[in-house]
């Protein structure tokens, strides 16, 4: 594994390593201190009230009944008393032969030596842990109890952890921290190299396949990068294609202009004819440049002023009125169907009205272009998605479009093949799509079962419907 140079790697490595090392040493210290405290309680005297009562009663039994009486009484003792309550003679041996811890024996002697006794004739109000008594056969015994195993649980070894184990833990935490830091920073380094490649013009760079089986946020970031790179590639390709198409479209009218100028010089008698040709080609160039500027502004400007609001219903009324004026000369009827929920209501959108006007107008003009005299264009406006979306449908009775070209209709300079081809530059629907998308909407084209093409525009309304207009 090549050691990375990134600062983030070392920050993660050192941070995790120091944290794990401190935790390891801290836990070891706590265990050692706890063990030392517990070790100090082993084989010590039991001084709780319960054991003091048993000590006192045992001393009384020995004093009046002797060892045999104690043997009989001990049968009813609890388990811990049978093994921990000792009666030791002057030689340090238990009367029942049980082992006597030397430490507890020494503590018992110290207790008797240092604990003041009540004056003669005064009652003993205390609950002594160690008592001396004499049996009827004049045998001196010392009664005391040691701590029970249940009172002092078994603990780890009573010593500090070995230094080798501590260093092994520190080294293990270093390895773990290094692997974790490498795991976290490796995809970041991949992203850095990928960004460098994209910045240098390599738009085919992808990093998701090199993420392995990761299923975390960093892997999601890698997939987002791939989508961004793919989108950039498409945009650059579209720009290059657009530049190629613009050059191609400009070449023809410019060539005709040059021919017209040459003819005007060679044939002065046909000057007016040449000027008419020059005027027509100039208008075509002006129209083409105007549409290109509109398309460029829509791609760059977005929705424009976000604080500008307008009524889409009012805009549609104007579009339909203008379209009917043109449709009368072509012998085409335009029928408008409005959702009853929109009666005397406003459909408020946020953005710029002029681009959306051009968008819907281009869709209607496209339907007029492919309609023949006697046919009808059906426009329908209704609410969708619980009143949050305005849906506008424009359906004609023309020849429709090939299924494989429906998705290409909204690209610049794309025109239908065969009998569906009409004069124009193929920018109208591209402008319409950009304008609708800039306002957060969508536009799709579908073939009607009964024949013709249907364009469906969906636009999000701003805060639904307002009060009655």
């Amino acid at each position: 594994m090549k050691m990375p140079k990134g600062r983030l790697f070392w920050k993660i490595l050192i941070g995790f390593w120091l944290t794990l090392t401190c935790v390891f040493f801290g836990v070891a210290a706590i265990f050692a201190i706890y063990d030392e405290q517990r070790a100090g309680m082993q084989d010590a005297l039991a001084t709780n009230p319960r054991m003091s009562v048993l000590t006192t009663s045992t001393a009384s039994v020995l004093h009046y009944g002797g060892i045999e009486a104690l043997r009989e009484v001990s049968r009813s003792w609890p388990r811990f008393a049978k093994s921990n309550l000792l009666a030791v003679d002057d030689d340090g041996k238990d009367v029942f032969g049980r082992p006597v811890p030397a430490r507890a024996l020494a503590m018992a002697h110290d207790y008797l030596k240092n604990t003041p006794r009540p004056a003669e004739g005064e009652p003993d109000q205390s609950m002594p842990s160690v008592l001396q008594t004499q049996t009827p056969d004049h045998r001196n015994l010392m009664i005391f109890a040691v701590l029970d195993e249940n009172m002092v649980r078994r603990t780890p070894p009573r010593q500090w952890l070995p230094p080798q184990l501590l260093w092994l833990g520190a080294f293990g935490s270093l390895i773990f921290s290094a692997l974790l830091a490498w795991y976290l920073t490796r995809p970041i380094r991949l992203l850095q190299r990928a960004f460098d490649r994209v910045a240098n013009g390599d738009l085919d760079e992808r990093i998701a396949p090199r993420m392995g089986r990761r299923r975390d946020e960093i892997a999601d970031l890698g997939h987002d990068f791939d989508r961004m790179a793919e989108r950039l590639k498409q945009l650059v390709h579209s720009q290059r294609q657009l530049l190629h198409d613009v050059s191609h479209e400009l070449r023809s009218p410019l060539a005709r202009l040059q021919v017209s100028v040459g003819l005007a010089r060679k044939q002065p008698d046909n000057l007016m004819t040449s000027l008419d040709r020059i005027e027509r080609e100039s208008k075509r160039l002006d129209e083409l440049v105007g549409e290109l500027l509109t398309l460029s502004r829509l791609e760059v400007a977005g929705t424009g002023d976000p604080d500008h609001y307008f009524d889409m219903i009012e805009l549609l009324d104007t579009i339909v009125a203008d379209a009917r004026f043109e449709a009368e000369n072509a012998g085409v009827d335009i029928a408008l169907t409005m959702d009853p929920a929109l009666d005397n209501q406003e459909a408020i959108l946020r953005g710029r009205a002029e681009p959306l006007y051009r968008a819907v107008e281009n869709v209607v003009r496209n339907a007029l272009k492919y309609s023949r005299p006697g046919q009808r264009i059906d426009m329908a406006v209704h609410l969708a998605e619980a009143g949050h979306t305005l849906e506008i449908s424009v359906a004609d009775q023309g020849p429709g479009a090939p299924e494989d070209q429906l998705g290409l209709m909204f690209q610049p300079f794309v025109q239908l093949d065969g009998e569906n081809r009409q004069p124009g530059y193929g920018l109208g629907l591209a402008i319409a799509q950009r304008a609708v998308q800039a306002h957060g909407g969508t536009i799709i084209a579908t073939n009607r079962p009964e024949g013709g093409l249907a364009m469906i525009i969906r636009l999000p309304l701003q805060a639904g419907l307002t009060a009655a207009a």
Side-chain angles (χ1 to χ4, degrees), residues 432-450:
Q433 185 187 54
R434 302 301 192 279
V436 171
Q437 289 178 346
H439 289 79
T442 60
I443 178 172
I444 59 174
T446 59
N447 283 315
R448 304 174 65 189
E450 62 272 21

Side-chain angles (χ1 to χ4, degrees), residues 66-88:
I67 296 175
E68 292 301 324
L70 180 62
R71 192 185 303 276
E72 293 294 329
V73 173
S74 65
R75 293 176 182 175
S76 61
W77 282 355
R79 183 184 58 83
F80 71 90
K82 291 179 179 180
S83 58
N84 295 82
L85 186 61
L86 304 177
V88 181

Side-chain angles (χ1 to χ4, degrees), residues 299-313:
E299 290 181 343
V300 175
T303 58
D305 185 3
D307 295 328
H308 181 70
Y309 298 88
F310 60 93
D311 181 16
M312 193 63 194
I313 301 300

Side-chain angles (χ1 to χ4, degrees), residues 352-375:
R352 294 186 300 162
E354 189 266 336
L356 277 183
Y357 180 92
R358 289 286 303 273
V360 180
E361 184 185 43
N362 287 346
V363 172
V364 176
R365 285 180 178 273
N366 186 76
L368 279 172
K369 185 188 298 185
Y370 290 94
S371 297
R372 298 176 182 177
Q375 292 183 338

Side-chain angles (χ1 to χ4, degrees), residues 367 371 375-379 393-401 403 406 445-456:
S371 297
Q375 292 183 338
R376 187 180 67 183
I377 298 176
D378 296 315
M379 289 188 63
S393 173
V394 180
D396 60 50
Q397 297 176 342
E403 291 292 334
L406 289 175
T446 59
N447 283 315
R448 304 174 65 189
E450 62 272 21
L453 189 70
M455 296 278 185
I456 301 174

Side-chain angles (χ1 to χ4, degrees), residues 309-311 342 345-349 383-390 459-467:
Y309 298 88
F310 60 93
D311 181 16
L342 293 169
Q345 299 286 343
E346 294 177 338
I348 304 300
L349 271 71
L383 295 174
E385 298 180 2
H388 297 288
T389 301
L390 185 69
L459 295 167
L461 292 175
Q462 183 65 28
L465 293 175
T466 65

Side-chain angles (χ1 to χ4, degrees), residues 198-219:
V198 171
N200 292 327
D202 184 7
L203 299 180
D204 292 324
E205 178 69 14
R206 301 292 183 271
I207 65 174
R210 285 180 282 174
M211 286 290 181
R213 298 182 178 180
R214 296 183 72 110
R215 294 295 184 271
D216 52 16
E217 290 79 0
I218 299 180

